[in-house]
Amino acid sequence: MFKKLLLLLSMSALMLSSPLAYSEGRLIPILNFASGIFNQGVFPESDAFTTDDDIVITASDGISLSANIFVPTELNGLAPAIIFINSWAMTEYQYLEQAEDLAKEGYIVLSYASRGWGTSGGLVDTAGPKDVDDFSRVVDYLIANYPVDPSALGTAGISYGAGISLLGAAADDRISAVSAMSAWGDLGDALYGEKTPRRAWGEFLTLLGDLLAKPDPILNQHWDDLKKQNLAAIPAILDWAAIRSPINYIDQLNANGAAIYLGKAYGDNLFQPNTILDLFSQLTVPKHIDLLPGTHASAEVLPSLTGIGDNLMWNNTYQWFDLHLKGKQTDIASAKPVQMKVKFTDKFEGFDEFPIAEVQNTRYFLHPRKLFDSGDLETYEYSKWRSRKNSYHTQLDSLFTSGVPLFSELLGQLDVPVIASVPLSSPLNSLYYNSASLTETMQIRGTPSVSVQVKPHADTIQVMAYLYDMSASGLATLITHGAKTLPVAQKGKKQRLTFDMTTIAYNVPAGHKVVLALDSQDIEYEPTTKKGYVIDLEFQRGAPSDLVIPTL
């Protein structure tokens, strides 16, 4: 099946050589995107710039990096320059459209394929030390061979390219501005946050690496060990990931002073927004972050490919470079540095910092369900002297879900929600707790968290938590979710699970109820065991289980 898919996409890439690849003088976006995958770049033509597709840059270890460049035809002295780095599964042809835009505005733009991708040599280093050193060799090449202003260098990328851009700016103080879209903050958290492997994205990305690149064998070995919860191997994997995590280079980023623009989707379940926000909050350099609905890379790719939605991230990337490389005043200069689009609305809200100073925590306490009553979320603790428990079995999945990986959050960008019928959920394989009807709109802005006391009847467990907005009909819209795994649990003993959900901006209307649902299966995540087991949620005086929601 995958060979047939590749053949189909390859045929699409071959269309790049035909006149159909152009619309009004520009490459049709979907074919431009295909060119980034299949190394079949077709360059735009303009009197405003020249292009060179035959650039080869030699890395420190002798391997060759394939690159291309756009150079404005009318330069008066030295010019600002941008370096683009490919995303995972893409090549140096990924950013032809953006390179054209920037070249017309006077930027020299060099794009290269990182090692192991396209026709670049070596093995994929997964944003490791070799990739970071390669980045500096690209900077060397650009300054040595083109009329570049060395005080006006920027770097940009999506996903993989975003991570290398941040790591490169931490290592090389010649970079003055960065645009990192769909980047990760902590790679260990992205792969194994709360000790829960990200199954859907992990399988997808390792497959793409095997099909389209020359991956270092250690990558697949690490992923296999994470999936299997090979606890002996995981510390070394997390050390490997730490070297590749921009959040561990905050001091260098702040010392080097590059202005950093970040773009992130709430539904990015590959690199969830929480750790990139942790990185953002520790930056002391000029900074800006846009938070939008969507999935990994969709907020920056979908508008360009389809014309649907606002191409906010790329527009702000251009403004960011104009501001910090040209000294040109742009709208982003006066905008508040944290911009959150409220999900399922057209409204953006700006804040001075994250976590948001204006936010207060709304705390709900879980109260047990009874025979003819669902569990409740109350503003006061469970205080009865008699302890109670609610139990569910994990063998079968429930109606509660984060959705179909990639597609559900992509549809969320188009205002299509993930829906569940709460009253139809089975009490055998899930639990849910609902608030009273809200008397006013609840404005959620930030990172909800869950803390529950459980007693597992197994030596390894996993718990999924889903936050819903439920209407009077019982239909509920997913707001956000989180997951927690105990690879080694204390079977038969009470223990506390505390974990964050993904950051979100969402309004729950007055008259609706907030629902916290719990189960132990989700297609997004690798299960800790295929065997079914029982989890008790324990209720006792002085040991509350709670849900904390940041609200305006």
Side-chain angles (χ1 to χ4, degrees), residues 296-308:
H296 182 68
S298 67
E300 51 269 50
V301 172
L302 188 64
S304 294
L305 289 181
T306 66
I308 298 173

Side-chain angles (χ1 to χ4, degrees), residues 446-459:
T447 307
S449 63
V450 178
S451 181
V452 291
Q453 184 170 252
V454 302
K455 184 168 75 174
H457 295 268
D459 54 13

Side-chain angles (χ1 to χ4, degrees), residues 230-522:
N230 182 353
L231 299 183
I234 286 174
I237 297 171
L238 295 180
D239 288 344
W240 174 90
I243 296 169
R244 294 160 168 82
S245 297
I247 200 166
N248 292 327
Y249 300 92
I250 287 288
D251 290 344
Q252 293 90 325
L253 286 168
N254 287 332
N256 288 348
I260 296 177
Y261 170 82
L262 301 169
K264 174 60 66 174
Y266 299 122
D268 185 344
N269 287 324
L270 171 58
F271 304 139
Q272 291 176 338
N274 301 38
T275 66
I276 203 68
L277 281 162
D278 288 344
L279 180 147
F280 176 86
S281 69
Q282 297 177 58
L283 290 172
T284 58
V285 298
K287 60 184 179 178
H288 183 100
I289 187 167
D290 288 321
L291 295 158
L292 307 168
T295 189
H296 182 68
S298 67
E300 51 269 50
V301 172
L302 188 64
S304 294
L305 289 181
T306 66
I308 298 173
D310 183 11
N311 210 355
L312 177 78
M313 286 191 191
W314 278 114
N315 291 338
N316 279 351
T317 291
Y318 296 162
Q319 288 193 32
W320 195 249
F321 287 145
D322 282 349
L323 174 63
H324 293 286
L325 301 182
K326 290 183 174 180
K328 179 180 177 182
Q329 288 301 303
T330 58
D331 290 342
I332 202 169
S334 58
K336 289 185 178 294
V338 178
Q339 294 289 322
M340 304 182 81
K341 186 175 184 183
V342 181
K343 199 169 183 181
F344 304 128
T345 76
D346 292 326
K347 182 180 180 182
F348 278 88
E349 293 179 349
F351 304 97
D352 292 318
E353 59 188 340
F354 193 93
I356 299 165
E358 297 89 338
V359 156
Q360 294 182 338
N361 285 330
T362 298
R363 188 179 185 190
Y364 286 113
F365 297 94
L366 280 63
H367 286 240
R369 70 183 180 190
K370 302 172 185 176
L371 184 60
F372 299 107
D373 183 23
S374 65
D376 294 322
L377 296 175
E378 303 285 3
T379 57
Y380 54 90
E381 292 185 26
Y382 179 80
S383 59
K384 294 184 178 180
W385 289 106
R386 180 190 174 192
S387 298
R388 298 180 63 92
K389 68 178 181 181
N390 291 160
S391 304
Y392 69 95
H393 200 284
T394 68
Q395 186 66 60
L396 299 175
D397 199 0
S398 74
L399 295 178
F400 303 122
T401 177
S402 63
V404 179
L406 178 65
F407 293 105
S408 291
E409 290 296 347
L410 184 63
L411 291 173
Q413 187 174 338
L414 305 176
D415 292 338
V416 179
V418 176
I419 296 291
S421 176
V422 173
L424 293 180
S425 64
S426 170
L428 299 178
N429 54 16
S430 63
L431 301 172
Y432 75 86
Y433 302 86
N434 59 258
S435 71
S437 297
L438 301 179
T439 58
E440 59 184 21
T441 299
M442 175 181 282
Q443 300 177 74
I444 303 174
R445 304 291 185 270
T447 307
S449 63
V450 178
S451 181
V452 291
Q453 184 170 252
V454 302
K455 184 168 75 174
H457 295 268
D459 54 13
T460 179
I461 64 168
Q462 190 172 79
V463 173
M464 308 295 170
Y466 307 93
L467 186 61
Y468 284 101
D469 161 15
M470 185 174 70
S471 69
S473 69
L475 284 178
T477 296
L478 181 67
I479 301 171
T480 184
H481 78 284
K484 176 84 171 184
T485 301
L486 294 182
V488 179
Q490 295 177 296
K491 184 177 180 180
K493 294 185 178 181
K494 295 177 183 178
Q495 49 214 280
R496 182 160 295 277
L497 303 182
T498 301
F499 55 102
D500 288 340
M501 299 181 176
T502 54
T503 303
I504 192 66
Y506 185 96
N507 290 342
V508 183
H512 286 205
K513 297 180 178 181
V514 173
V515 175
L516 174 66
L518 304 171
D519 70 11
S520 288
Q521 289 195 36
D522 193 285

Side-chain angles (χ1 to χ4, degrees), residues 89-308:
M90 303 293 278
T91 70
E92 72 269 26
Y93 300 117
Q94 177 179 0
Y95 303 106
L96 294 178
E97 178 183 345
Q98 290 77 22
E100 177 184 1
D101 290 340
L102 288 164
K104 287 179 177 178
E105 295 299 320
Y107 289 92
I108 295 173
V109 185
L110 184 145
S111 302
Y112 76 97
S114 57
R115 60 174 58 222
W117 294 101
T119 57
S120 289
L123 301 178
V124 174
D125 195 37
T126 319
K130 292 179 181 178
D131 279 319
V132 175
D133 185 73
D134 290 347
F135 175 81
S136 287
R137 302 294 75 75
V138 172
V139 175
D140 291 343
Y141 177 90
L142 186 59
I143 292 173
N145 291 278
Y146 293 91
V148 168
D149 181 351
S151 67
L153 294 177
T155 181
I158 298 171
S159 184
Y160 189 57
I164 296 176
S165 290
L166 288 169
L167 292 164
D172 197 319
D173 63 6
R174 293 174 291 182
I175 299 302
S176 297
V178 176
S179 173
M181 296 165 277
S182 293
W184 64 92
D186 185 329
L187 187 58
D189 184 84
L191 297 172
Y192 194 61
E194 296 293 355
K195 300 183 180 180
T196 306
R198 274 52 175 166
R199 171 173 60 184
W201 279 102
E203 295 289 354
F204 181 57
L205 292 181
T206 52
L207 173 65
L208 288 177
D210 290 339
L211 289 173
L212 299 173
K214 301 177 284 291
D216 187 327
I218 196 64
L219 182 61
N220 283 320
Q221 182 61 56
H222 284 343
W223 176 237
D224 286 342
D225 285 334
L226 288 175
K227 285 191 301 180
K228 295 173 183 176
Q229 294 283 3
N230 182 353
L231 299 183
I234 286 174
I237 297 171
L238 295 180
D239 288 344
W240 174 90
I243 296 169
R244 294 160 168 82
S245 297
I247 200 166
N248 292 327
Y249 300 92
I250 287 288
D251 290 344
Q252 293 90 325
L253 286 168
N254 287 332
N256 288 348
I260 296 177
Y261 170 82
L262 301 169
K264 174 60 66 174
Y266 299 122
D268 185 344
N269 287 324
L270 171 58
F271 304 139
Q272 291 176 338
N274 301 38
T275 66
I276 203 68
L277 281 162
D278 288 344
L279 180 147
F280 176 86
S281 69
Q282 297 177 58
L283 290 172
T284 58
V285 298
K287 60 184 179 178
H288 183 100
I289 187 167
D290 288 321
L291 295 158
L292 307 168
T295 189
H296 182 68
S298 67
E300 51 269 50
V301 172
L302 188 64
S304 294
L305 289 181
T306 66
I308 298 173

